[in-house]
Amino acid sequence: MAQRTKLLPADRVAVRAALARLPDELNRLLHALGASAARERRAGLAFSAVEQIWHLADLEHEGFGRRIERLLYEDQPVLADFDGDAIAAERDYRRRSLREGLAAFATARAANLALLDRVRDEEWEHSGIQEGVGPVTLADLPELMSRHDAAHRGEIELWLASGTESAAGSG
């Protein structure tokens, strides 16, 4: 993995603010979407809107949340990869509720931000190894979360832009 630059405290505040905004941004983007439209696969993307949201929710809780906790409380943990494609298929995200997914993501994100808000200065350097990424510190996680958010927000915007009349008001 390429060397990451260490976030300065002011940068950390900006990243935290962006992380806090995403649940509301997604609610605004998807508020008019009906259930059947939310399940459509569009624009050559692997995930529908509902699948994107449940992926974000589960990764936030089971991926990022567990990584934050383990980095805080364990010495040099090995952090598991999160196989989003396999989990989406196993849990059949496409059949789930978009609204419930949005709520689950917002709840998990708020819990992670609350945990990060309690991190003491010296704890930001707690480190471990993340499968598929390499060495990481607790200070790296907000930036990794932000990049992941940006990728999925972009996919959701592309998905919405490729929509049809069915996107507003079905189901």
Side-chain angles (χ1 to χ4, degrees):
M1 167 131 199
Q3 183 68 20
R4 291 178 296 274
T5 58
K6 184 175 176 181
L7 286 180
L8 300 172
D11 297 327
R12 200 177 299 138
V13 169
V15 169
R16 192 242 185 256
L19 292 173
R21 281 192 304 269
L22 188 64
D24 287 338
E25 290 174 358
L26 293 176
N27 271 313
R28 279 193 302 278
L29 283 171
L30 301 173
H31 77 279
L33 201 58
S36 66
R39 292 182 177 99
E40 292 175 11
R41 294 210 171 120
R42 303 177 184 167
L45 297 169
F47 281 171
S48 65
V50 71
E51 290 168 305
Q52 291 272 1
I53 297 304
W54 276 104
H55 166 76
L56 288 167
D58 284 350
L59 177 62
E60 191 69 23
H61 174 70
E62 298 171 32
F64 292 127
R66 288 187 182 150
R67 291 172 191 155
I68 293 166
E69 288 175 353
R70 293 193 64 206
L71 285 167
L72 269 173
Y73 304 119
E74 296 178 27
D75 186 37
Q76 291 294 313
V78 175
L79 307 169
D81 187 26
F82 186 86
D83 187 344
D85 292 334
I87 292 170
E90 174 187 311
R91 296 179 185 174
D92 199 8
Y93 286 165
R94 221 165 156 204
R95 295 199 184 276
R96 291 186 171 190
S97 161
L98 177 65
R99 306 288 172 253
E100 289 175 13
L102 287 163
F105 175 59
T107 298
R109 175 58 57 92
N112 285 342
L113 291 174
L115 188 55
L116 289 170
D117 287 346
R118 292 190 303 270
V119 172
R120 296 185 313 263
D121 287 343
E122 67 275 7
E123 292 173 323
W124 286 108
E125 294 308 315
H126 287 196
S127 63
I129 304 292
Q130 184 174 324
E131 292 176 355
V133 174
V136 295
T137 66
L138 190 53
D140 295 325
L141 285 187
E143 181 64 25
L144 292 170
M145 293 165 70
S146 180
R147 282 192 233 144
H148 185 263
D149 283 1
H152 282 280
R153 191 177 198 283
E155 289 176 13
I156 290 167
E157 288 172 341
L158 177 62
W159 183 91
L160 285 166
S162 70
T164 63
E165 297 277 321
S166 65
S170 61

